[in-house]
Amino acid sequence: MVRHFELTEPPEGLAAELGPGGDRVERLLRGICAAGRAPARRRAPGSSLTVVRDPAVAAAAMDRVDPGWLEALDRRRGAARERLVAAGREKQLDTAEHVAMLVATPRLDPADQTDPDARAVSGALLWLIGTVVADALADPGGAPAANGDGPGHDEDKDDPLSGLAELLASGWWPIGPVNGAFLISPYAADGGEPHAR
């Protein structure tokens, strides 16, 4: 595995290097890069999603996200890692997570490192990206695309990652379910800068 130290885009050949599911990882990372360059293409992706445009409100909503949803994501990430390690693919997972952090961190890093809300939003997004990356490699045949009802819909309760990759790749931060509504927020402002800035 090639070790990368600084990236502004996913490297050529990443999908092949990662093996099964690598194409999903590369598509996610290229989408995150594109979302920062062309935020105007972001329109609300589904009627059951509640859009929060105010960065302060979005940051405050993190404390009210259904803990069961977050726990399900955490279990899913842990199970994905276990399956990949058991299959001898730990190096591919490490490479995928490493490249994801190199590509995403500069786009999500708060300009004001002393702003606790901005740092919390950045950390939440990076954790979610890592979760989606691990799941993509462990379940290469899975369908990360959101259905018309979005990731908060009842049909998706058994698959907490359904639609999250598509939202992230389209410039949306899936905050999560809060009081029965699934909240999303653009993570890049109109100028292409992350909301955390």
Side-chain angles (χ1 to χ4, degrees):
M1 296 279 139
V2 176
R3 198 67 175 164
H4 304 280
F5 297 97
E6 187 175 334
L7 293 170
T8 56
E9 300 276 339
E12 290 299 321
L14 178 65
E17 183 180 356
L18 298 178
D23 57 332
R24 292 175 63 200
V25 172
E26 186 168 344
R27 193 166 44 249
L28 167 68
L29 298 181
R30 292 203 182 282
I32 289 169
C33 293
R37 289 190 301 268
R41 73 186 183 97
R42 291 189 320 270
R43 59 181 178 76
S47 59
S48 70
L49 303 174
T50 302
V51 176
V52 179
R53 297 216 179 257
D54 184 325
V57 173
M62 286 193 306
D63 292 336
R64 300 192 325 270
V65 171
D66 176 0
W69 185 76
L70 294 172
E71 289 165 9
L73 289 178
D74 203 36
R75 283 192 305 273
R76 181 78 169 257
R77 185 175 188 167
R81 175 169 277 284
E82 286 177 14
R83 286 196 310 274
L84 289 164
V85 169
R89 297 187 63 208
E90 187 173 10
K91 287 184 180 178
Q92 285 91 343
L93 175 60
D94 289 345
T95 297
E97 290 177 335
H98 178 71
V99 170
M101 294 305 107
L102 285 176
V103 169
T105 299
R107 289 170 168 80
L108 303 174
D109 199 27
D112 181 0
Q113 292 291 329
T114 63
D115 181 344
D117 286 344
R119 291 179 66 194
V121 168
S122 175
L125 275 158
L126 291 171
W127 176 81
L128 188 55
I129 289 166
T131 300
V132 171
V133 162
D135 189 71
L137 287 182
D139 184 18
N147 64 29
D149 294 318
H153 191 266
D154 287 346
E155 293 175 4
D156 297 322
K157 283 185 177 173
D158 292 335
D159 185 0
L161 291 182
S162 176
L164 299 187
E166 183 177 322
L167 288 169
L168 286 164
S170 299
W172 293 98
W173 166 32
I175 300 169
V178 176
N179 299 327
F182 196 96
L183 306 185
I184 63 172
S185 182
Y187 61 75
D190 289 341
E193 293 299 313
H195 256 320
R197 289 189 184 247

